[in-house]
Amino acid sequence: MRIAILHYSKPPVIGGVERVIGEQAAALTACGHEVQIWSADESSAFREMLEGKSLDAVIVHNVFTMPFDLPWTQELIELTHSRPDIRWINWVHDVRWSAQVPAAVHVAVSDFRRKEYAGVTKQPIHVIPNGCDAAAVLGLTPRVQALKLEAHVGPVLLQPTRFVRRKNIELGLRVLAELPDALYLVTAAPDPHQKDGVKYFRELKKLAKELGVARRVRFLGLEGALSDDDVRSLYQMTDLLFFPSTQEGYGLPLIEAALHGLPVFCSHIPAHKEVAVGATFFRLTASPKGLARKIKSHPGMQARQARRQMMMRLLWSRIVHEMLQPLLSGRNDT
């Protein structure tokens, strides 16, 4: 489809609606549509374009409901009546002007705004939330984006570590077996120059298979070494740092996780007690079932899960595919 998106201003102008229309245009373009953004100071050029080139749809953000340029608002309202061949979408973020209602499909960004605009028109008002490009907001690397962790419904546990026996990765596997919907990410790959590391990795793979968790543990380093930015992105996209070392001299991941607001479960050993901030400590003799129970009920972990669920809900690709495209095509008018 050939689609125009209209607002008073557009990127690179900084503003909430400006960011929304930029991300909306990118998402529609990714779906194969031809999209162009127009601002108020381009209204004459837009009108000339409209006269010489057909459009399938025009998405108007706030211009029908805000009084910043009423001559342009009036002109666009008249166009909604004179050009019924175009699919007009009235995207309502705010309502401060409602003297006239366009001949358009009405979209409110929240149910609160829908109820408010229902006092203006008795026509159907669809609720479509503004999406959010979480990957850009969080600065996620392409490699971590490709994991699509926002789509995973269960807990996502992270252990940034090398394949050294004192890292006690096997305890993580046993805990994973008690969390049937969880995912366990281990950053390392075995170092071919360390024979015991390679042997330990083989033992872990065998244990994962025996426990029935082989498909839910990801040894990310096998696909190539992770960069520092990749690890930072993992701190942003996981729900809990699980760090069960039997011995450490320091424990840098505990500090890094705390700086990223990632809840920490770590072994009760001297170095961890010295450096960890706000961590949940457990004894190395703790049962995997008991640890799994504490992890599931941890409020910080639950909050991180809800955060990932919000990312999934507000993915522009999902919003465009499931909500916006049906309106643009006329498949969801009621």
Side-chain angles (χ1 to χ4, degrees):
M1 298 180 71
R2 294 176 297 275
I3 302 170
I5 297 177
L6 275 56
H7 181 52
Y8 291 109
S9 55
K10 67 180 186 180
V13 173
I14 296 174
V17 178
E18 287 78 7
R19 174 180 287 184
V20 165
I21 63 176
E23 293 178 357
Q24 185 180 74
L28 285 165
T29 299
C31 288
H33 300 287
E34 180 184 324
V35 185
Q36 188 171 1
I37 302 175
W38 300 83
S39 60
D41 58 7
E42 298 171 315
S43 58
S44 296
F46 171 73
R47 185 172 59 253
E48 292 174 4
M49 181 275 299
L50 201 58
E51 292 173 356
K53 180 181 179 181
S54 62
L55 281 175
D56 298 301
V58 179
I59 305 174
V60 183
H61 287 261
N62 259 7
V63 181
F64 291 137
T65 56
M66 296 293 281
F68 297 147
D69 190 337
L70 288 178
W72 191 35
T73 299
Q74 183 65 48
E75 178 185 340
L76 291 176
I77 289 175
E78 291 173 359
L79 281 170
T80 67
H81 292 281
S82 65
R83 292 296 304 271
D85 55 305
I86 296 173
R87 188 77 166 168
W88 295 87
I89 307 289
N90 173 25
W91 202 283
V92 182
H93 301 262
D94 306 284
V95 181
R96 286 175 50 191
W97 185 87
S98 57
Q100 297 182 54
V101 178
V105 177
H106 305 294
V107 171
V109 297
S110 65
D111 193 56
F112 169 77
R113 195 61 82 203
R114 179 193 65 79
K115 291 175 180 176
E116 181 182 24
Y117 201 61
V120 175
T121 179
K122 299 305 178 185
Q123 298 172 13
I125 303 169
H126 305 269
V127 176
I128 301 181
N130 292 325
C132 179
D133 186 352
V137 172
L138 297 176
L140 302 183
T141 61
R143 184 167 180 183
V144 172
Q145 289 183 55
L147 296 174
K148 298 188 182 301
L149 296 176
E150 68 277 359
H152 187 76
V153 295
V156 181
L157 280 57
L158 172 68
Q159 186 175 357
T161 187
R162 295 177 293 121
F163 283 103
V164 179
R165 290 185 185 275
R166 62 183 173 84
K167 299 297 184 178
N168 199 16
I169 300 170
E170 58 269 31
L171 180 56
L173 296 178
R174 297 186 188 282
V175 170
L176 183 65
E178 302 294 337
L179 295 168
D181 59 348
L183 189 66
Y184 187 34
L185 305 181
V186 180
T187 58
D191 185 346
H193 302 293
Q194 295 184 7
K195 292 183 179 180
D196 188 60
V198 174
K199 182 181 178 183
Y200 181 44
F201 173 65
R202 290 173 180 160
E203 292 172 8
L204 291 171
K205 286 184 67 178
K206 181 180 178 182
L207 178 62
K209 186 176 181 179
E210 291 172 353
L211 293 171
V213 300
R215 292 187 177 183
R216 294 189 292 114
V217 58
R218 297 283 301 274
F219 299 111
L220 299 178
L222 294 177
E223 302 165 12
L226 280 77
S227 69
D228 287 342
D229 286 341
D230 289 330
V231 175
R232 281 190 282 269
S233 293
L234 288 170
Y235 282 131
Q236 288 291 341
M237 286 301 295
T238 52
D239 302 323
L240 182 137
L241 181 84
F242 189 73
F243 214 67
S245 302
T246 60
Q247 189 275 328
E248 290 285 352
Y250 194 70
L252 184 60
L254 308 183
I255 294 173
E256 294 175 338
L259 290 172
H260 283 272
L262 182 65
V264 173
F265 269 58
C266 63
S267 50
H268 190 278
I269 60 176
H272 290 176
K273 290 291 291 184
E274 183 177 342
V275 304
V277 176
T280 298
F281 295 96
F282 58 85
R283 298 196 178 277
L284 290 167
T285 55
S287 73
K289 182 172 290 188
L291 284 173
R293 185 172 56 250
K294 289 181 179 180
I295 287 172
K296 286 172 63 176
S297 63
H298 191 276
M301 197 280 298
Q302 293 172 349
R304 295 281 292 207
Q305 273 193 278
R307 177 175 174 261
R308 285 192 302 103
Q309 291 165 4
M310 176 192 70
M311 293 179 194
M312 186 63 184
R313 188 174 67 252
L314 297 181
L315 275 176
W316 270 114
S317 57
R318 189 189 73 83
I319 289 171
V320 166
H321 177 72
E322 297 180 9
M323 300 180 178
L324 182 51
Q325 287 193 140
L327 281 187
L328 291 171
S329 64
R331 299 197 306 269
N332 191 18
D333 285 345
T334 59

